[in-house]
Structure formats: structure tokens, C-alpha cells
Amino acid sequence: MKYVLKFALVAMLAFYAPVLYAQEDTTTAEDEEDYSIYDDLDFADDGTQSFANAKISGLSPARFISLGYDYQAGYDLTAANVGEGIAPETATINSTSGIRVGANIPVVSRNDLLIQVGGQYWNLNYNYNDASTLNHPLHKTLANNGLRTWGLNSTIYKPLNETHFILVQLGADMNGDYAVPEFQSMRYNRYSIAALYGKRPSDYKQWALGISRTYRAGELNYVPIFYYNYTSPVSKWGIEALLPARGHVRYSFNKRSILMAGFELEGNSYRLGNQSTFLSEPLDDVELRRSEIRARMMYQRQLVGFVWFAAELGYRINYSYNVDDIPEGKDFTRLFGIVSDAPYVMENTIGNPVYFNISLNLVSP
Amino acid sequence: MNRAILVALLVAVSTITYSFLGSDDAKADRLKGIWQPSHGKAKIKIDKIGSKYYGKIVWLKEPIDPETKAPKVDKNNPDESLRSTPLKGYRILKDFEYTDEDEWSNGTIYDPENGSTYSCVIKMTDENTLDIRGYIGIKTLGRTDVWKRLEMPSKKKSE
Amino acid sequence: MMKFFRFYALVFSVVALLAACGSTEDFDASIQLDVSAEGPFFSGPNTLQAEYTVNLKSLIANKEFTANDIKEVKVKSVTIKIPEGDAIGIDSFNNVVVQLASDNAPMTNIAILNPINGNGNELTLTSSADAEIEDFFKQEKFIVLVDWDFKEDSMRPEMHSNVKIDLVFKLKQ
């Protein structure tokens, strides 16, 4: 029995020895490195496929969370006559300003599929020179209620192989002169979609062609779109574009300080008359087709860690500020006059002021 | 008889304890190896130093910087004094500990493309696949990249 | 008038107290150790390493302090020497990187030299201006890693280097 016990103790020690030894060996060293072998490795899984990455080198950082303030300097707005009952009226707006808050979070993040979901809130407050003397219902509702947008969006990136990909962007916006939390009926929501098919030939270039249903021109349109991102491998220059929505030339002083110059076409269709009786027959079911080209310089730089500051300065050039009659929110498209030549209820004239936008952004990995 | 029970108990306890200790180390060590991030621009070798895991760049698709025509260096490092550190051999995964079943955390991942260091958690979804999630503060604010295990062609043939 | 003086005396003593609480004193210290690795060494970065046991008592001459007294530790300079008589010289390497690692502090890059020019057997590296390494001295031990980037394969069975790290300790008073 004594021997059995001894044997047991020896066996136990033998069992433990490597473990005890391993615990003491805290300076575990790396293996020696033969770098020449790394050229010719295979995936351990036979079925493993490489996919085109969603980004290219040197792009300006994507934003997880953005808190911004937008300010347009003064301009005149001439609200057009509506039949013979409402006379045209020109009023001076000293400034138009509002906050812009957005978030964009990746919900699916795999090599073969990326899905991001985001939301945003924008408001536009119209600061009239003399709001008490306004007669035109458009002026009155803008002065009293302003405009706001609550939106949801999603971006889906689906690489097909090492070089080709599909990109889909979806958006649902509630735009209008509504108050929060009353909002407005969901039937006035405006939906946009873009679908693109593209190629990423290298880490420095990606491009895609597609079609979109968009409100960027104010009213509903269907337009071909061209996506193009490029970073020069040998200089600090690059291009980031999704035409016709936006196009910028990029200059990177370094990875934490980026200057961009170009334009953005920004717009949407805003339901009017939610909050007041300013707009009555024949203006009881109308939408403002607001669209503007923002020709701009943008500078963004890292403040600390993942917090970046962005400032943009430019001209806000009007593209559309007309009003359409949209009964029950059932929208239509003119498609640049090809499909319809329905007249606008109002064709307003608006000046083109200088604007600036500043924002604090939490940028994504 | 009592002794016999004692012996049996000793052996059983030591075997069970050993298997637990041994298997934990073995489980943790599954992270070691050569891995390829989804962008395919680099290959990363993960090794153990002390009690933690570190991953260094052992291969670059483009080892030469097209701008300088010299081997790539860590030119975006926020610490200017370290910007000439070569990227080949650079440890971009640092300080990972085996904290949960198939999970290594408390580490960081460095992105040489922009000089940022992110908190990071590594999840092994199968023996040859890692979900590498880099995040800012909370895990929701992050992005996951899937890394695939690489091995020698000869090793595969021999299996 | 007395009130006036009393008020300023109070302000002065509060300021002095705060200043005393936050004041620190700088001390030079240096650590030295041999790092090593077994061969063969292939072209590219190869890691030599060693464990350093922290002994605060012998770090700064005539100054007794504990881990709690350490406010900050910065790297002043790092020198590496290949032992006399070793056939290999610094001209055998493209570059060298020195890092610290430990169980309870994040790995930190403390010095580099890229490219390595000249020959001989001793090098002074460019040390990190930002690296804060106090956490390494608040534990029992840490690991020093030296990555020598070999220009060519070397079949030598082992390699040693002597690392000297000059430090500045900021100690609470």
C-alpha cells in the first residue's frame, strides 16, 4: 500500500510538473522568425474567400456620432403669388440656423457583409428681419415654425469577391414644419434609395455606378449616380465623390488634419402647414421642395483621441425653393419634365448667402 | 482501505486539476498563429510574451512606401519620436488575455493607417476565424473585422 | 486691516498647501540588463528579451521610495551594446526597436533607431518623448524586448545584447 501511495504522489508530481514549470516561465519567448515563409501561406480553411474592403486608404474618417451647428447669413426670400388670393412678398431673412445631430452605427460587420444603421435630426430656424409684418403664408410658417427633419438611414455594403461590390443606401425622412413631439403623419415620410455596383481595383481606388431615387433636388427624382473614391499613393491628394450628390477634392496635411474642397447637393421635400392655419386652401396639402448646392471648403482635424472637429465655409446656392401641391402626401416625379410638366403652386426666389457649419464628431475605427 | 480511497482521490483530483489547467492554457494558445485581416494587406503573427498575447506584422502586401520608396514605417504615430519605427515586425495587437470561453480581451489594436489605438476584443468563432472588434469606449461604438488563419501549404498537404 | 491680512494669510497657506501636495522632484536612474534569444536568426526583425526584476530600493542612490511615490517615469535615453568579442556588429542590422511588456501594464515602445548607420558594437537609440512607463515600476517585474532587424540570415546559436535604459523618475514629495 505504501508503494501505491508513493506511486500516486510521483504520478501526481509528474502530472503537475509541466504546469508548475509553465507557470514560472513568465518570459515565454516568441519563436524565431523566418520571414521568407510568409509569402506563400494558404488559408487554413479551404473555402475561405477574400472580399473587397469597403474603404480605401486615406479616406476622410467616417462619423459614428456628429453634433453640429449650421448657420446661413442673411438673404431675401420672395414668396410667389398663389393665384390671385395671395400676393407675392419679399422679406429679408437675417439668418437661418439650426443644429444637426447624427449617429451611424455598424450593426453587421463581417468581411462579406456590412450593415450600418443611422439616424439624424436637423432643424432650420428662419430668423426674419421683421416677422411681425409678414403676410405671405410661406413666410409666416417659416418664421413661426421653421423646418425640421428626423431621419433613419441604412447603408449595406456587400462585396461579391476580391474586387467587386454592391452598395445600397436607404433613407426614410420625416420633413416638415411640424412641432416635436406632435410630428406629422407617417404618410408624408419621404423615402430614398440608391443601389450601386462597383469595383475596387486597388487600395487606392474604388468606383461604382448605379441609380437612385432621391430628394436631393427637392422633389422626387430618379438619377444615375457615380461613386468614386481615390487616394494618390504618392501624394497627399485624393477625391471623394458620389455624383451628383457630392464631390470633393481632398488634401491630407497628415492623417489627423484634412482639407476638402467641393460641393454637396442637399435637399428634401418638406410638408408644410402642420402647426398652424397659415396655410389653408389651396395650400392645405403642399410640400416645399428645398434644394441647395453648397460650394464649400471643409477642414477637419483630430482634437483628442477619436473626437474630431470639422468646420466648413462656403456659399449656399439655391437650386429649388418651390412649393408643390401633394394631396394626401402621394408624391410624383416630373423627372426633369420628361414624365410630367405639372406646374408648381409657388415658384419662389431666394438669395444665396455665405454659410458655415461646425461640428464635433466621434469618428469610427 | 482508507489509504486506497485516499490514493484514488489524490490521483483523481490531480488529474482533473491538471486537465483543467492544461486545457485552459491550450485553449488560450489557440490564438497563436498567423492570421490575415480582411483587407489582405498584411499578415499578423500572434505569439505569447509573458502571460499575454501580442500580434505583429510579419508580411506586407506593399512593403515599400510608394511615397518614400523605402520600407514602410509608422509615419502616423502620434508620438513623433517613434515615426521611423518599421511596420514589418510592428506589434499592432497588444496585451490580450484569455478572459472568457473563446475570447481574448483587455488588449488594444493599432491602425497604422491613421495612427489610432482602439480597445479591442478578440472572439474565436471557429478554429480558423477570429472576430476582431476594435471599439471606442463601449463595444457598440466599434467595427468588427474577420481574420482568417493562414498556414504553410506543406502542412495542409500532410494532413 | 487685520481682516485683510488674515484673508491673504489664509489664501497663501491654502495655495502653499496645494502646491506642496502636487510638487514633485526629478531623479535620474538607470537600469541595465542582458537580453538574449536562441538562433537561428532569419533576415528581418528577431526578438531578444529578458525579464527585469524591479527593486525600487536600489534604483536611485540615497533615495528610499515606494511605488506609491512614483508620479511619472520617462525614458531619457536607451543604449544597446553587443558584447565585446561577438563577431556580429551593428552594421548587420537595418534597425532596432526596444519595447517593455508586463502582466499589468500595456506594452510600450520606448526607443527605436531606423536606419542604423555606421559600425562598431554600441548604439544610442531615439527614445520616445511620450512614453510614460511608471506602471512598469509599480510591479515586481517586466520584460524588455529588443527587436533587431537582421539584414541577412544568421545561423548563430544565440545572441546577446546589453541594454541600458536611462530614466527620469518624478517622485511625489
Side-chain angles (χ1 to χ4, degrees):
Chain A
M1 201 61 208
K2 215 159 54 180
Y3 292 110
V4 177
L5 188 63
K6 263 189 190 165
F7 173 78
L9 284 170
V10 169
M12 196 173 81
L13 279 173
F15 265 127
Y16 272 115
V19 178
L20 296 172
Y21 177 74
Q23 281 173 336
E24 278 173 7
D25 179 24
T26 53
T27 57
T28 309
E30 296 175 280
D31 301 335
E32 71 267 8
E33 228 42 278
D34 183 357
Y35 288 88
S36 63
I37 62 169
Y38 299 122
D39 287 329
D40 308 310
L41 298 178
D42 288 340
F43 285 116
D45 276 343
D46 283 334
T48 302
Q49 197 187 344
S50 296
F51 291 102
N53 200 267
K55 293 182 185 174
I56 62 162
S57 254
L59 284 183
S60 58
R63 297 167 179 182
F64 268 149
I65 295 171
S66 178
L67 302 171
Y69 176 75
D70 195 83
Y71 179 93
Q72 299 173 23
Y75 56 92
D76 284 351
L77 167 61
T78 302
N81 67 299
V82 182
E84 293 190 355
I86 301 169
E89 182 184 18
T90 299
T92 300
I93 295 167
N94 289 337
S95 66
T96 313
S97 59
I99 59 163
R100 295 182 170 197
V101 181
N104 220 334
I105 310 293
V107 290
V108 176
S109 183
R110 301 202 312 252
N111 292 8
D112 61 345
L113 183 66
L114 286 176
I115 301 178
Q116 287 201 334
V117 173
Q120 74 267 1
Y121 169 72
W122 289 14
N123 79 359
L124 269 174
N125 297 314
Y126 289 80
N127 173 24
Y128 276 82
N129 190 36
D130 189 357
S132 61
T133 60
L134 299 171
N135 292 312
H136 197 287
L138 178 64
H139 286 311
K140 281 186 171 177
T141 192
L142 290 176
N144 281 278
N145 307 322
L147 299 173
R148 55 201 51 75
T149 291
W150 285 89
L152 286 173
N153 60 70
S154 179
T155 304
I156 301 155
Y157 174 85
K158 171 73 191 159
L160 303 172
N161 53 39
E162 235 168 308
T163 49
H164 292 83
F165 63 89
I166 289 169
L167 185 63
V168 178
Q169 290 180 322
L170 306 165
D173 294 317
M174 182 183 276
N175 318 300
D177 60 355
Y178 55 80
V180 178
E182 284 79 15
F183 296 103
Q184 64 191 19
S185 167
M186 297 283 271
R187 70 166 177 253
Y188 301 113
N189 287 357
R190 294 291 164 242
Y191 300 98
S192 52
I193 181 168
L196 300 112
Y197 172 77
K199 195 175 174 184
R200 185 184 183 280
S202 75
D203 292 331
Y204 301 101
K205 192 197 287 181
Q206 63 183 167
W207 59 266
L209 281 170
I211 189 152
S212 77
R213 178 191 205 268
T214 175
Y215 282 89
R216 280 184 182 265
E219 58 193 76
L220 175 60
N221 260 311
Y222 296 87
V223 294
I225 47 177
F226 177 55
Y227 181 61
Y228 183 77
N229 288 326
Y230 170 75
T231 299
S232 164
V234 291
S235 75
K236 294 175 182 298
W237 293 92
I239 294 169
E240 293 181 23
L242 176 60
L243 300 175
R246 59 179 170 270
H248 293 98
V249 173
R250 165 178 24 92
Y251 183 84
S252 305
F253 297 99
N254 56 55
K255 295 287 169 166
R256 290 172 201 84
S257 172
I258 296 167
L259 184 69
M260 293 171 90
F263 75 94
E264 170 132 24
L265 178 65
E266 181 187 299
N268 226 316
S269 186
Y270 296 79
R271 153 104 177 147
L272 298 179
N274 286 290
Q275 282 198 63
S276 61
T277 51
F278 298 131
L279 292 119
S280 51
E281 184 76 33
L283 298 175
D284 54 345
D285 241 345
V286 293
E287 293 195 14
L288 171 67
R289 312 294 209 171
R290 184 185 78 88
S291 173
E292 57 204 34
I293 297 160
R294 292 180 161 222
R296 64 191 181 185
M297 300 278 279
M298 286 195 294
Y299 177 69
Q300 38 189 323
R301 68 164 298 138
Q302 183 188 40
L303 282 186
V304 57
F306 307 103
V307 180
W308 282 53
F309 170 76
E312 59 180 85
L313 179 69
Y315 263 107
R316 197 272 282 135
I317 303 159
N318 181 55
Y319 180 73
S320 164
Y321 211 79
N322 300 333
V323 173
D324 261 329
D325 190 25
I326 319 255
E328 302 287 300
K330 286 175 185 156
D331 209 353
F332 68 98
T333 180
R334 292 184 177 84
L335 203 65
F336 307 103
I338 300 167
V339 174
S340 161
D341 56 0
Y344 294 99
V345 179
M346 282 181 234
E347 288 191 52
N348 306 305
T349 314
I350 185 170
N352 299 324
V354 171
Y355 86 98
F356 74 82
N357 182 303
I358 49 171
S359 61
L360 274 181
N361 305 291
L362 188 66
V363 304
S364 102
Chain B
M1 195 58 205
N2 281 347
R3 269 191 183 173
I5 293 167
L6 186 69
V7 167
L9 216 63
L10 266 173
V11 172
V13 167
S14 62
T15 312
I16 291 165
T17 320
Y18 176 83
S19 66
F20 268 110
L21 285 170
S23 70
D24 240 21
D25 262 4
K27 275 183 175 176
D29 279 353
R30 289 174 303 152
L31 188 61
K32 285 162 84 172
I34 305 148
W35 301 88
Q36 184 165 52
S38 70
H39 56 62
K41 290 192 277 190
K43 293 172 187 173
I44 313 297
K45 186 179 182 200
I46 300 181
D47 258 319
K48 196 174 186 182
I49 301 173
S51 61
K52 298 196 283 189
Y53 294 87
Y54 299 83
K56 68 177 175 186
I57 299 173
V58 291
W59 178 92
L60 284 162
K61 189 176 177 185
E62 251 186 29
I64 303 298
D65 186 331
E67 217 172 322
T68 60
K69 309 272 187 267
K72 280 185 176 169
V73 293
D74 185 23
K75 62 182 179 183
N76 298 311
N77 195 318
D79 184 347
E80 283 183 38
S81 49
L82 298 176
R83 286 189 183 161
S84 60
T85 308
L87 282 192
K88 188 174 171 187
Y90 201 101
R91 292 188 178 89
I92 61 163
L93 294 178
K94 289 180 179 175
D95 304 304
F96 285 88
E97 296 168 75
Y98 189 59
T99 46
D100 204 350
E101 189 73 20
D102 299 330
E103 193 173 290
W104 292 258
S105 54
N106 302 333
T108 57
I109 185 165
Y110 177 74
D111 183 357
E113 292 247 325
N114 58 23
S116 297
T117 302
Y118 304 93
S119 302
C120 185
V121 59
I122 301 175
K123 185 102 190 154
M124 186 175 271
T125 53
D126 65 55
E127 289 303 307
N128 299 321
T129 312
L130 298 178
D131 276 1
I132 307 261
R133 184 158 187 85
Y135 61 93
I136 304 166
I138 53 169
K139 284 179 190 166
T140 316
L141 295 178
R143 193 168 64 80
T144 303
D145 193 38
V146 182
W147 291 20
K148 288 288 185 181
R149 193 190 288 275
L150 297 168
E151 59 185 22
M152 303 293 292
S154 55
K155 193 176 169 188
K156 281 184 79 178
K157 274 171 209 157
S158 66
E159 278 170 8
Chain C
M1 196 63 181
M2 270 313 281
K3 256 188 183 172
F4 175 83
F5 278 119
R6 228 182 288 161
F7 173 73
Y8 276 95
L10 189 70
V11 169
F12 180 77
S13 28
V14 168
V15 170
L17 198 69
L18 285 174
C21 287
S23 75
T24 57
E25 200 177 345
D26 287 358
F27 293 91
D28 287 342
S30 89
I31 64 172
Q32 201 162 348
L33 76 167
D34 277 306
V35 293
S36 63
E38 287 176 13
F41 300 93
F42 296 98
S43 157
N46 288 264
T47 306
L48 279 64
Q49 66 181 63
E51 191 172 272
Y52 177 80
T53 306
V54 178
N55 183 3
L56 297 181
K57 281 183 185 142
S58 62
L59 259 175
I60 302 170
N62 305 322
K63 178 74 187 172
E64 284 229 354
F65 65 100
T66 65
N68 289 334
D69 300 325
I70 304 174
K71 179 125 194 279
E72 189 184 276
V73 181
K74 296 280 236 179
V75 181
K76 202 167 155 188
S77 74
V78 176
T79 316
I80 305 183
K81 198 173 173 185
I82 299 168
E84 300 278 349
D86 195 324
I88 209 161
I90 59 165
D91 55 349
S92 304
F93 307 104
N94 293 309
N95 54 65
V96 63
V97 179
V98 180
Q99 289 177 296
L100 306 184
S102 87
D103 287 353
N104 299 310
M107 178 182 263
T108 307
N109 195 346
I110 61 162
I112 55 152
L113 192 63
N114 181 28
I116 292 173
N117 293 316
N119 46 35
N121 68 341
E122 194 169 339
L123 276 177
T124 300
L125 282 64
T126 307
S127 46
S128 162
D130 296 352
E132 290 173 357
I133 57 168
E134 50 278 3
D135 287 348
F136 291 95
F137 290 91
K138 293 179 178 176
Q139 47 196 306
E140 286 176 11
K141 58 196 175 184
F142 58 83
I143 301 166
V144 178
L145 299 122
V146 174
D147 286 323
W148 281 113
D149 186 347
F150 281 65
K151 286 180 180 168
E152 290 168 2
D153 293 352
S154 164
M155 292 301 125
R156 58 185 12 247
E158 59 181 352
M159 181 174 167
H160 291 263
S161 301
N162 185 267
V163 186
K164 183 167 177 275
I165 306 171
D166 291 326
L167 304 156
V168 179
F169 275 71
K170 216 176 256 300
L171 301 180
K172 291 175 200 161
Q173 283 200 313

